[in-house]
């Protein structure tokens, strides 16, 4: 798909009759699926980070889910969103991501490394990386990490949080 200038993948939603399983409706559901996933970020921001006056966010990813997360955080946090660093596979996609969200009033800063990660209050992995996108020592001890992917967060960090922190998940597997 990228060869054709399209997103990496798309979601399809099928509405089937309950009894006959005949298709009633077929929808292109990428935006619906991304918005559903983005609600995790807004729920964390509203609950776990509620006491912070300003929130610095570091977002890994620039696809539909990351875009929905940016929109959700902009809407939920408003002026409390101090800065949104975004890291994607390339500087160009990070810059394109930043330009795609003009409705967010906080600065969206494309980055090519994790230098700002220690400053982040809220770190979100919303990429499809096949290996960790940060090292455990790059995260401040009081930072909240929302792990939305499969392999993006280092096992060392997950083990540390399971032993010393608070973990909230929707899927134990």
């Amino acid at each position: 798909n990228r060869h054709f200038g399209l997103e990496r993948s798309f979601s399809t939603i099928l509405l089937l009759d309950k009894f006959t399983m005949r298709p009633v409706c077929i929808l292109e559901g990428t935006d619906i699926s991304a918005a559903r996933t983005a609600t995790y970020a807004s729920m964390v921001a509203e609950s776990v980070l509620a006491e912070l006056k300003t929130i610095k966010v570091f977002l890994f990813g620039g696809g539909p889910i990351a875009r929905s997360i940016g929109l959700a955080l902009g809407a939920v946090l408003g002026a409390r969103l101090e800065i949104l660093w975004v890291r994607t596979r390339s500087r160009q996609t990070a810059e394109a991501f930043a330009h795609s969200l003009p409705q967010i009033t906080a600065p969206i800063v494309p980055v090519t490394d994790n230098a700002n990660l220690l400053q982040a209050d809220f770190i979100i992995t919303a990429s499809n990386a096949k290996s960790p996108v940060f090292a455990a020592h790059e995260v401040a001890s009081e930072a909240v990490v929302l792990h939305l992917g499969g392999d993006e967060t280092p096992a060392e960090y997950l083990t540390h949080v399971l032993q010393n922190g608070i973990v909230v998940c929707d899927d134990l597997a």
Side-chain angles (χ1 to χ4, degrees):
N1 282 344
R2 287 194 177 121
H3 176 74
F4 297 111
L6 301 171
E7 296 292 339
R8 180 187 61 84
S9 64
F10 296 93
S11 297
T12 303
I13 297 174
L14 297 172
L15 176 61
L16 303 173
D17 180 87
K18 182 177 181 174
F19 299 108
T20 66
M21 298 303 289
R22 289 181 51 213
V24 177
C25 180
I26 300 174
L27 298 170
E28 199 296 309
T30 304
D31 290 343
I32 294 169
S33 179
R36 177 197 55 83
T37 302
T39 60
Y40 290 116
S42 60
M43 289 169 49
V44 169
E46 288 179 310
S47 58
V48 179
L49 302 168
E51 294 182 15
L52 294 181
K53 291 183 180 177
T54 62
I55 299 173
K56 297 175 186 170
V57 178
F58 197 109
L59 175 62
F60 289 96
I65 292 173
R67 188 173 190 292
S68 290
I69 288 169
L71 291 170
L73 291 177
V76 167
L77 296 176
R80 291 179 59 214
L81 180 58
E82 183 177 334
I83 190 167
L84 174 62
W85 292 289
V86 61
R87 182 170 182 198
T88 63
R89 285 189 175 92
S90 71
R91 174 84 136 160
Q92 295 85 352
T93 57
E95 288 172 355
F97 176 89
H99 293 304
S100 75
L101 298 172
Q103 56 275 64
I104 295 179
T105 57
I108 302 172
V109 180
V111 296
T112 56
D113 58 32
N114 293 348
N116 301 103
L117 202 56
L118 271 172
Q119 299 174 50
D121 303 302
F122 191 17
I123 300 165
I124 306 166
T125 61
S127 75
N128 58 354
K130 302 285 187 241
S131 60
V133 292
F134 64 88
H137 70 273
E138 295 178 303
V139 178
S141 60
E142 65 278 358
V144 173
V145 177
L146 178 59
H147 168 69
L148 294 174
D151 301 315
E152 302 158 318
T153 303
E156 174 188 354
Y157 180 77
L158 292 173
T159 300
H160 170 76
V161 173
L162 285 168
Q163 293 171 347
N164 303 297
I166 298 172
V167 176
V168 178
C169 65
D170 70 337
D171 185 347
L172 290 176

